[in-house]
Amino acid sequence: MPGLLSPLTRAVTYTRWLHLVVGAIVPIVCAMVYPGLVKPTPGDWALIAVLPVPLVLAAAMVPSMRRAEGLQARLMLFPGPHARVRSEEDPRVSAAPSASWSDRARTGAWMVLRMEAGLALGLVSDQLPALSLSLAGAAAGSPGVTDSLLTLPGSHWWYALLVPVPVLVLLAVAAAAGALMAQAARRLLGPSVRERLSELEQRTERLLERNRIAQELHDSLGHALTLAVVQAGAARAAADPEFTGRALEAIEETGRVALEDLEQVLLMLRDTGRPAGPRPALGEADRLLESARSSGARVDAEVTGPLEDVPGPISREGYRMLQESLTNVLRHAGPVDVRVRIAVEQARLRLEVRNQLGGGAAAPAAGAGGGRGLRGIRERAALLGGEARAGQDGGGWLVRVDLPLR
C-alpha cells in the first residue's frame, strides 16, 4: 500500500499535472472563439480537440519551440530541486533548438500529444471533483448541486462513503498520465542523432585529454623520480662528497622541472583562465641528455638537421618520447652507454635511442606492466601519423621513432 501511494507524496506528480493542464490552454482559447463553451456536446469537444492542431504544428516548425518545450519538460516532468525525492538520472531531454526537419516533426508530435493529453486531463480534473461535490450534496439531501455529468438517483446518506473515490481516481489518473508523458518526452524531445554524435565526440575529446594529461604526468614525474633514485643510489655507492654534490644539484634541477610540468597540468585541470606555460620541445633536448649524464650514464648524442623547423606539436611529442626512452634506460639498465640520434630530414623526424643492457638487467617489457612507457611512445607516434618500434638489437636495446613532418 505505501508503494501505491508514494507517487501522491512526490512533488513531481503535481508539477507533471500542472504541465499537462497548461497544455489545454490553447484548445480552450480556440473554443471560446468557436464552437463556444456553452453546453458543448461531445461532438463540440471533438472539434475543440482537433481545430488547434494545425496551429500547434505550425508553431512547432519554429526551431526555438523545441528548446522551450525541452526546458519546460526538464523542469516540470522530472524530479529535481522542486521534488521531495531527488533523482540524479539524466532525463535525456534536449534543450537545443531544432536542427533538422526530423527534430521539428518530433517537436510537433510532442506538442500535439501534450495538448490533447492536457485537454483530456483538464476535463477529468473538472468533472471528478464535481462528482465528489455531487455525492456530498446527495448525502446531505441536496442532489445535483454541481454541474457534474453524472445524475445521482435520489438522496442517500451512504453517498458520503463514496465522496473520496473520485478524488482518489483523479490523483491516480494524474500520476499515471504524468509518468507516461515523461516517457513520451524522452522519446520525442530526446537528443537527435546529430546531438548524440556531438555528445559522443565531446566525451571522446575529454577522454583523450585526460589520457594526454595522464601521459604527461607519467613521463615528467616518472623521469624525475627515476633520475632522483638513480642519482641518490650512485651517490651513496660512490661515497664521494664531490660526486654527491653534483648528484644533489642534478636532483634539484630535475625536481624543479618536474614541479613546473606539474603546475602546468594543474592549471589545465583547474581551468583558471590563466594560460599554461610552454611545453618543452626538442630544442631543449640537451637538458634531458645532461640529466641522464648526471646519473652516471655515458650519453653520446648526434643531432642532424634544423630542429627549429620541426612543427611545434611534433617537437613537443618528440621531447616526451626522448624523455621516456632515457627514463626506461635508467630504470631498466642503469647508468650504461647510451647513443641518441635525432635526425630532421626533408619530411621526417627520426629519433633513435640505443643502449647497452646492464649486467643482469632485463629488457623493458613490451606488453603490460613494465611496458607502459613504451606503449605511451607508440600511442604518441600513432597519433602523429608515425610509428615507433622497440626491441633488442644485438646486445642492446633500441627505440626507434619515425614521424612525418607534414
Side-chain angles (χ1 to χ4, degrees):
M1 195 64 168
L4 294 176
L5 297 179
S6 60
L8 305 183
T9 65
R10 303 175 65 193
V12 72
T13 298
Y14 302 97
T15 60
R16 288 171 174 174
W17 190 351
L18 176 62
H19 186 61
L20 288 177
V21 171
V22 168
I25 291 178
V26 173
I28 293 299
V29 170
C30 292
M32 291 179 180
V33 179
Y34 182 84
L37 293 175
V38 179
K39 296 183 178 181
T41 65
D44 291 335
W45 282 115
L47 189 61
I48 290 170
V50 171
L51 280 179
V53 171
L55 178 63
V56 170
L57 291 177
M61 298 300 103
V62 180
S64 58
M65 288 301 298
R66 182 166 179 261
R67 176 180 176 84
E69 291 293 328
L71 290 174
Q72 291 180 64
R74 281 186 178 185
L75 177 64
M76 303 293 284
L77 295 181
F78 299 95
H82 56 286
R84 179 176 298 179
V85 180
R86 296 191 60 177
S87 173
E88 300 299 329
E89 179 185 1
D90 186 356
R92 302 299 299 168
V93 171
S94 175
S98 298
S100 64
W101 286 107
S102 174
D103 290 346
R104 293 179 173 89
R106 292 198 300 154
T107 304
W110 162 257
M111 293 178 65
V112 170
L113 176 62
R114 180 188 172 193
M115 180 185 70
E116 303 297 354
L119 181 60
L121 185 59
L123 292 176
V124 171
S125 300
D126 175 67
Q127 291 300 315
L128 288 180
L131 177 57
S132 289
L133 293 176
S134 294
L135 288 169
S142 302
V145 296
T146 68
D147 292 331
S148 172
L149 296 178
L150 180 63
T151 301
L152 298 174
S155 174
H156 305 282
W157 66 267
W158 50 267
Y159 280 156
L161 300 178
L162 300 178
V163 169
V165 174
V167 176
L168 293 177
V169 171
L170 174 60
L171 292 174
V173 169
L180 291 175
M181 290 301 291
Q183 294 298 323
R186 288 191 175 98
R187 290 182 174 273
L188 298 177
L189 296 179
S192 63
V193 175
R194 181 180 301 180
E195 289 172 329
R196 287 196 293 268
L197 287 176
S198 176
E199 180 183 355
L200 181 60
E201 289 176 356
Q202 293 175 5
R203 186 182 304 173
T204 302
E205 289 176 359
R206 289 195 298 269
L207 289 176
L208 290 174
E209 182 66 14
R210 289 178 183 177
N211 288 336
R212 188 187 70 79
I213 291 174
Q215 189 67 48
E216 289 283 327
L217 288 176
H218 172 271
D219 293 347
S220 178
L221 298 184
H223 178 74
L225 292 175
T226 298
L227 286 180
V229 170
V230 171
Q231 289 165 343
R236 184 179 60 179
D240 181 358
E242 183 178 353
F243 183 86
T244 300
R246 292 198 302 270
L248 291 175
E249 182 179 351
I251 291 173
E252 179 184 5
E253 174 63 19
T254 303
R256 183 185 61 78
V257 173
L259 286 175
E260 291 177 357
D261 290 343
L262 179 60
E263 183 178 1
Q264 291 181 22
V265 172
L266 292 178
L267 280 176
M268 289 188 291
L269 291 175
R270 290 170 182 163
D271 193 19
T272 59
R274 293 167 50 193
R279 294 168 53 198
L282 280 177
E284 303 173 59
D286 288 342
R287 186 170 64 184
L288 294 177
L289 302 177
E290 288 302 321
S291 295
R293 292 187 181 107
S294 66
S295 300
R298 294 170 293 278
V299 181
D300 181 16
E302 176 187 355
V303 179
T304 59
L307 288 179
E308 63 275 7
D309 292 345
V310 178
I314 298 177
S315 183
R316 290 189 289 270
E317 295 301 316
Y319 177 93
R320 291 304 186 190
M321 294 180 199
L322 175 60
Q323 183 182 56
E324 184 58 35
S325 299
L326 292 175
T327 301
N328 281 340
V329 171
L330 295 173
R331 179 182 297 136
H332 296 285
V336 297
D337 290 342
V338 183
R339 179 171 179 77
V340 176
R341 178 173 177 266
I342 304 173
V344 181
E345 300 176 355
Q346 289 185 351
R348 315 291 296 182
L349 170 65
R350 303 186 189 277
L351 173 65
E352 292 183 0
V353 178
R354 187 191 306 268
N355 64 277
Q356 297 177 343
L357 293 178
R372 181 65 188 91
L374 295 178
R375 287 201 304 272
I377 293 175
R378 293 192 183 99
E379 290 169 1
R380 289 179 185 272
L383 287 174
L384 294 173
E387 62 176 348
R389 298 185 298 276
Q392 292 193 13
D393 182 66
W397 184 265
L398 173 65
V399 176
R400 178 183 288 118
V401 179
D402 190 359
L403 301 176
L405 297 182
R406 299 183 181 85

